[in-house]
Amino acid sequence: MSAAVTDVYAPGTLQEAVDRVLRVPDRHRTFTKDAAFAQETWAIGPALLEALLDHGLPHRGPAERRRFERTDLHNVSTWLNLPSPYFRALARKARALDAAARTGEPHRHELELRADCAEPGHAGECAFVPVPGAADHSEPGSLRETSAGAFAVRARLPSDSRVFDEDRSDLLSLVADWELYVLPDGVIEDEGFARETRLANCLIPTRLLLREAERRGIRARHGAGLLVAPPFGTLHHWVEFALDGAWVPADPVLLTAFSRWGMTDPAHWPYNRSVAGIVWHLLTWPPEVFFPVVRDRGLQAPLHVSVR
């Protein structure tokens, strides 16, 4: 291991990062990404990658042609707080959440939804249509198509940052110690895996909390839409509680992650505080992990969301 790597990371840190990804069984890995992808996308440079390999990072192939599982690289990079575009974007979202709460004013964002053809090579023209929630939950009249497949819209996100009462807090505590994790396809909806490893995406704990809320007589619903903060938005799932005539969003796994990554102060942002201010509700009870925001001739269209 190079001196530069040992100067940066405390003993055991890299082993913790690798041990974490090894909780995922190897049968769920597809080794398709190379060292260039690790560096360019996830800020894992050659020296660090070699150190991770020394600690058992899964891979296939000889040194000059090594291949890695994309989610392993993603999760190692995030665990080590490396300055990837993804990690920097998450930090912006955490800052936006805190800023919305401190000002007490709603956050307004200009978004561009840019969709690609859902089925390249099809006959006829594409027909792009945003989900109804894009108009229903935006500033009235702001949604407009600016070019084929591109839509501009203004989202108004409230600053409600209440700490939930004892009953709801007790419910949220069921998953508060789970770690936000990008799961490979084989376990992307596997609640048993998440319970055993405490690794979960945003969908699995949402479904668990909704089922338990129903059992406890707490009125809740499944919220889905976007995590919103410049420079872009990402698909997300969370739980919402009916309180005082409104639906108030909660996401204990996300808040725990922000705290672990040093993005928020856990004293100010405990797991049982609302995440209003960064979530834009577009759909309720979506059945899919990757739900549609824009459809093309009825099919889910690949989407990029820019935010300012």
Side-chain angles (χ1 to χ4, degrees):
M1 189 184 305
S2 74
V5 172
T6 57
D7 288 346
V8 173
Y9 297 102
T13 300
L14 299 185
Q15 191 62 62
E16 289 175 359
V18 172
D19 287 346
R20 188 168 173 261
V21 302
L22 291 177
R23 296 183 214 171
V24 178
D26 210 41
R27 65 181 180 276
H28 298 304
R29 292 184 168 85
T30 55
F31 296 93
T32 61
K33 300 303 181 182
D34 61 11
F37 176 84
Q39 181 167 14
E40 294 165 7
T41 304
W42 297 112
I44 302 174
L48 177 55
L49 187 59
E50 287 299 324
L52 291 165
L53 287 164
D54 289 344
H55 286 283
L57 181 68
H59 67 283
R60 293 290 184 272
E64 65 276 12
R65 294 195 301 276
R66 284 190 187 118
R67 293 295 182 268
F68 304 90
E69 159 61 35
R70 63 175 182 84
T71 59
D72 287 347
L73 298 173
H74 185 147
N75 290 303
V76 165
S77 177
T78 306
W79 178 259
L80 297 176
N81 292 18
L82 299 180
S84 69
Y86 174 84
F87 192 81
R88 292 197 298 266
L90 280 175
R92 291 188 186 99
K93 289 174 172 62
R95 290 195 296 270
L97 178 70
D98 193 52
R102 289 180 186 277
T103 64
E105 297 293 328
H107 265 207
R108 291 177 171 83
H109 295 286
E110 299 279 345
L111 291 87
E112 182 185 51
L113 314 178
R114 186 171 293 277
D116 293 325
C117 179
E119 196 176 37
H122 65 83
E125 296 183 353
C126 293
F128 296 104
V129 179
V131 295
D136 297 343
H137 299 287
S138 62
E139 292 195 348
S142 69
L143 178 64
R144 66 189 190 281
E145 187 169 15
T146 56
S147 61
F151 300 86
V153 64
R154 288 193 300 275
R156 180 180 182 274
L157 306 181
S159 59
D160 186 339
S161 54
R162 75 184 74 189
V163 174
F164 293 103
D165 60 25
E166 183 177 354
D167 288 344
R168 288 164 182 80
S169 295
D170 184 60
L171 170 64
L172 297 172
S173 72
L174 296 177
V175 297
D177 65 340
W178 290 16
E179 298 177 39
L180 190 61
Y181 196 89
V182 178
L183 297 172
D185 291 343
V187 289
I188 203 166
E189 297 185 70
D190 189 338
E191 185 179 314
F193 170 84
R195 284 179 177 273
E196 179 181 351
T197 63
R198 292 295 195 263
L199 303 177
N201 55 21
C202 55
L203 175 65
I204 295 172
T206 296
R207 288 178 172 171
L208 183 154
L209 290 173
L210 289 166
R211 189 172 65 249
E212 184 63 19
E214 182 178 18
R215 190 185 72 81
R216 299 184 184 198
I218 297 174
R219 190 179 174 207
R221 73 177 185 182
H222 188 155
L226 299 174
L227 278 177
V228 176
F232 56 82
T234 52
L235 295 181
H236 198 60
H237 299 260
W238 61 90
V239 64
E240 297 180 351
F241 297 120
L243 289 168
D244 303 327
W247 289 101
V248 184
D251 193 334
V253 177
L254 180 65
L255 289 182
T256 298
F258 281 166
S259 175
R260 283 186 176 132
W261 295 328
M263 296 175 180
T264 57
D265 180 350
H268 294 151
W269 287 101
Y271 72 89
N272 57 341
R273 187 168 174 173
S274 172
V275 293
I278 60 167
V279 292
W280 185 31
H281 183 112
L282 295 176
L283 300 98
T284 306
W285 305 106
E288 310 98 334
V289 180
F290 304 107
F291 48 84
V293 174
V294 176
R295 295 184 187 274
D296 172 22
R297 298 167 299 110
L299 302 175
Q300 181 173 346
L303 185 72
H304 176 78
V305 182
S306 59
V307 180
R308 58 183 177 85

